[in-house]
Amino acid sequence: TDLTQCIKTIHTDMLSLQDPAAWGVSDPTVIAHIYEKSGKIVRDICSFQYYDSQEKFPYPAVNQIDYWDYWTGPSSPREKCSIAGRDFDSPYRKPNLSTAKRGTLQKIIYPTGGWTEFEYELHQGYRHYPTTEPSEIKGGLRIKSITQRESPTSAPITTQYAYNDPNSSRNGGEILSDYKPFPRIREDNG
């Protein structure tokens, strides 16, 4: 037996979720399919589906993302803000669930016909002061549930995820609690 011979190799097929005209040669891709080869035998391992994978993403623009860099949509309006008495146009950063989950993993499909599916929700949280403030929708995604089915005829099993503060009835956690700016330290050497 020649131990230098490759017994099997693992391969991936990739899927581009971006518009190549906008992104050029470095457009981001995701894995669409994983399979193994052993001689002439090819065996599927799994394939992946992504939310809205048929829609191509535009090149990321700062006025189309929330504060966590999730997409808010192609026609996101601009907001007016004021800093030190001067008015500015500011990117619209309000989170949008349908566009934020675009391109995220939706389903893993197995050769048995079984699958695992992921459902997401927007992050929620609250600020430390005032303590009675309700939870707010925040940017980014978190898993809401994972549903699994071993085969096409098996019953689905769903696991729900809750992100509740154990010390209150609010959803999500405390945001920027006890925030303190970094102190400026000065060292004099002589």
Side-chain angles (χ1 to χ4, degrees):
T1 304
D2 184 1
L3 297 178
T4 62
Q5 294 294 317
C6 182
I7 297 171
K8 68 179 174 180
T9 56
I10 305 295
H11 300 264
T12 59
D13 291 333
M14 305 302 284
L15 171 69
S16 173
L17 298 178
Q18 313 303 336
D19 179 359
W23 283 79
V25 294
S26 63
D27 65 309
T29 56
V30 293
I31 297 173
H33 181 223
I34 300 175
Y35 57 99
E36 68 179 10
K37 285 185 177 181
S38 180
K40 294 182 180 181
I41 299 171
V42 176
R43 186 177 77 84
D44 283 337
I45 296 174
C46 63
S47 60
F48 303 92
Q49 292 178 353
Y50 299 86
Y51 282 98
D52 298 326
S53 62
Q54 303 306 314
E55 298 291 325
K56 298 298 183 188
F57 276 78
Y59 187 79
V62 74
N63 65 337
Q64 295 177 348
I65 56 174
D66 66 20
Y67 289 108
W68 288 261
D69 289 343
Y70 285 81
W71 200 44
T72 58
S75 59
S76 300
R78 298 189 65 79
E79 294 179 306
K80 297 283 185 191
C81 68
S82 181
I83 300 173
R86 294 185 60 188
D87 292 331
F88 296 92
D89 278 340
S90 173
Y92 186 73
R93 303 288 192 160
K94 185 174 181 181
N96 179 325
L97 178 61
S98 65
T99 56
K101 70 181 183 179
R102 187 170 167 190
T104 59
L105 181 62
Q106 180 178 10
K107 189 182 268 190
I108 304 171
I109 303 164
Y110 305 103
T112 61
W115 46 260
T116 301
E117 187 165 19
F118 302 88
E119 183 180 356
Y120 301 91
E121 65 185 6
L122 292 170
H123 284 294
Q124 292 186 36
Y126 58 91
R127 299 190 190 282
H128 182 66
Y129 298 106
T131 56
T132 58
E133 182 178 324
S135 295
E136 303 172 26
I137 297 292
K138 299 296 176 188
L141 296 172
R142 61 188 185 192
I143 292 178
K144 181 178 181 181
S145 67
I146 299 175
T147 302
Q148 299 179 28
R149 181 174 257 171
E150 289 185 20
S151 71
T153 58
S154 65
I157 299 169
T158 300
T159 304
Q160 299 281 340
Y161 294 87
Y163 303 88
N164 298 323
D165 182 346
N167 299 318
S168 75
S169 60
R170 292 180 281 199
N171 189 335
E174 192 173 322
I175 299 169
L176 294 177
S177 65
D178 299 319
Y179 169 75
K180 295 176 179 61
F182 290 102
R184 175 175 268 178
I185 299 173
R186 181 177 172 185
E187 288 186 20
D188 289 326
N189 293 329

